[in-house]
Amino acid sequence: MASAAGTTAATTGGDEKWMVFGRTGWLGGKLIKMLEAEGKAVVGAKSRLENRSDVAAELDEVKPTHVLNAAGLTGRPNVDWCEDHKEEVLRVNVIGTMSLLDLCNQRKIHVTNYATGCIYSYDEEHPMGGKTFTEEDEPNFTGSFYSYTKGLVEKLQKTYDNVLVLRVRMPISDDLSPRNFITKICKYRRVVNIPNSMTILTEMLPYSILMARKQLTGVYNFTNPGAISHNEILELYKKYIDPKFWYENFTEEEQNKILKAGRSNNELDTTKIQAAVPEVELVHIQKAIVGVFERMAANLKAAGTLPPPPFKMGNSPEEFDKLAAEAK
């Protein structure tokens, strides 16, 4: 079982050399830009997780003090893709990830693995608005192959004492990247209205670097404190970004009928991560999300694209249906 102390030696700022897996991805790209802005030595890994010999050779060439793993398959446009590409998902998300952790362990390199908190679902013991899921709770959601593989890896990686596991959920950024949770739900005609824990990257990614510098190991729920619903987010989008934006709701049962894989809905406990870096306050999601939209609106206004082009056809459900029928 991983301990809080870890086995790798602490480094000073000048000694740091960072290596990021997933350099072409959304999360990995943000990590590289953030470290570069700090003036840190950072290398985006060119090797792929599933090619063990290539990864080993690159680790030996770069000789990083810290490895950040943001690589993996989440599916395009969503996790339903993983249901039809199980061999590829296993090869990268399970075998490849575990191989990287093993290689880093052999070389006594601290590695931060950006994992997922989508391994839980509200239940009788953890109802909406009630008791939240801690790092010690046994995962109870395997409704998607993606979540199933992530749950497997989390159990296996506890074997290593050099690994920091961060459970990301529904990541949010200040831009309208296709990977941004805000962008994703803006594209849907109908959404469920369920409160969830979420990760605001503007605040949480710097937090993860602090945790890596402290050589922390073990599993942490990597979200802002509290929960927020889909409707609350979309109403803020209407307020700050596009007053004409529209959406409809449907039930979780109705949603499941149109999906290949189930979706995780939960609220994670953040007591452990807040105690890990007490010198930095983690802002509650209900407050932090307002900052996201304020920054997003300012960025779009500066670019002359506020409001941005609509994500859906038409200005109402009725107009959407009409245009969709004409397009057939």
Side-chain angles (χ1 to χ4, degrees), residues 73-93:
L73 295 177
T74 57
R76 296 287 192 279
N78 54 51
V79 295
D80 283 350
W81 179 92
C82 298
E83 301 299 314
D84 297 322
H85 300 82
K86 293 182 178 179
E87 293 86 355
E88 296 168 62
V89 174
L90 278 175
R91 198 172 297 123
V92 176
N93 290 2

Side-chain angles (χ1 to χ4, degrees), residues 26-176:
W26 183 47
L27 204 61
K30 286 183 176 294
L31 287 166
I32 291 173
K33 287 182 180 179
M34 185 176 66
L35 288 166
E36 286 178 340
E38 291 184 18
K40 300 303 180 184
V42 55
V43 175
K46 296 179 181 178
S47 54
R48 299 183 64 83
L49 293 185
E50 60 268 36
N51 299 329
R52 182 179 175 90
S53 59
D54 292 347
V55 173
E58 193 168 13
L59 286 171
D60 291 337
E61 177 186 353
V62 175
K63 293 181 172 55
T65 58
H66 299 78
V67 166
L68 305 177
N69 180 37
L73 295 177
T74 57
R76 296 287 192 279
N78 54 51
V79 295
D80 283 350
W81 179 92
C82 298
E83 301 299 314
D84 297 322
H85 300 82
K86 293 182 178 179
E87 293 86 355
E88 296 168 62
V89 174
L90 278 175
R91 198 172 297 123
V92 176
N93 290 2
V94 180
I95 300 171
T97 298
M98 292 306 302
S99 178
L100 173 63
L101 303 185
D102 182 61
L103 290 168
C104 289
N105 182 265
Q106 291 176 1
R107 291 158 176 77
K108 300 188 183 306
I109 302 170
H110 185 275
V111 54
T112 301
N113 189 37
Y114 294 88
T116 185
C118 295
I119 53 177
Y120 296 109
S121 184
Y122 289 120
D123 58 19
E124 289 186 9
E125 186 181 354
H126 307 84
M128 281 184 271
K131 183 180 178 182
T132 54
F133 290 95
T134 71
E135 289 81 356
E136 287 69 42
D137 284 320
E138 188 72 16
N140 69 347
F141 178 77
T142 56
S144 70
F145 190 72
Y146 170 79
S147 291
Y148 172 68
T149 62
K150 290 293 187 176
L152 287 176
V153 171
E154 183 172 295
K155 291 180 180 180
L156 293 170
Q157 62 195 357
K158 291 178 182 179
T159 304
Y160 298 111
D161 60 3
N162 63 313
V163 181
L164 170 63
V165 182
L166 300 178
R167 293 172 168 173
V168 180
R169 286 214 77 232
M170 299 178 172
I172 291 173
S173 65
D174 303 348
D175 53 34
L176 288 174

Side-chain angles (χ1 to χ4, degrees), residues 170 181 185 191-198 227-236 247 249 285-286 289:
M170 299 178 172
F181 180 74
I185 62 174
V191 298
V192 294
N193 187 30
I194 300 176
N196 273 280
S197 285
M198 300 186 190
I228 189 168
S229 70
H230 297 59
N231 281 23
E232 287 174 307
I233 289 176
L234 293 178
E235 287 302 315
L236 287 170
Y247 66 94
N249 286 129
I285 187 69
Q286 294 283 347
I289 193 68

Side-chain angles (χ1 to χ4, degrees), residues 227-282:
I228 189 168
S229 70
H230 297 59
N231 281 23
E232 287 174 307
I233 289 176
L234 293 178
E235 287 302 315
L236 287 170
Y237 185 85
K238 289 175 66 175
K239 177 180 179 180
Y240 286 94
I241 308 300
D242 184 2
K244 294 183 179 180
F245 179 82
W246 63 271
Y247 66 94
E248 294 179 315
N249 286 129
F250 63 164
T251 67
E252 193 172 7
E253 292 72 24
E254 290 172 324
Q255 181 193 53
N256 290 337
K257 292 178 181 178
I258 64 172
L259 299 175
K260 286 188 176 182
R263 298 294 191 267
S264 162
N265 293 289
N266 64 60
E267 183 176 351
L268 303 179
D269 185 275
T270 57
T271 303
K272 182 179 178 181
I273 192 170
Q274 289 177 284
V277 190
E279 64 270 28
V280 180
E281 179 188 4
L282 274 186

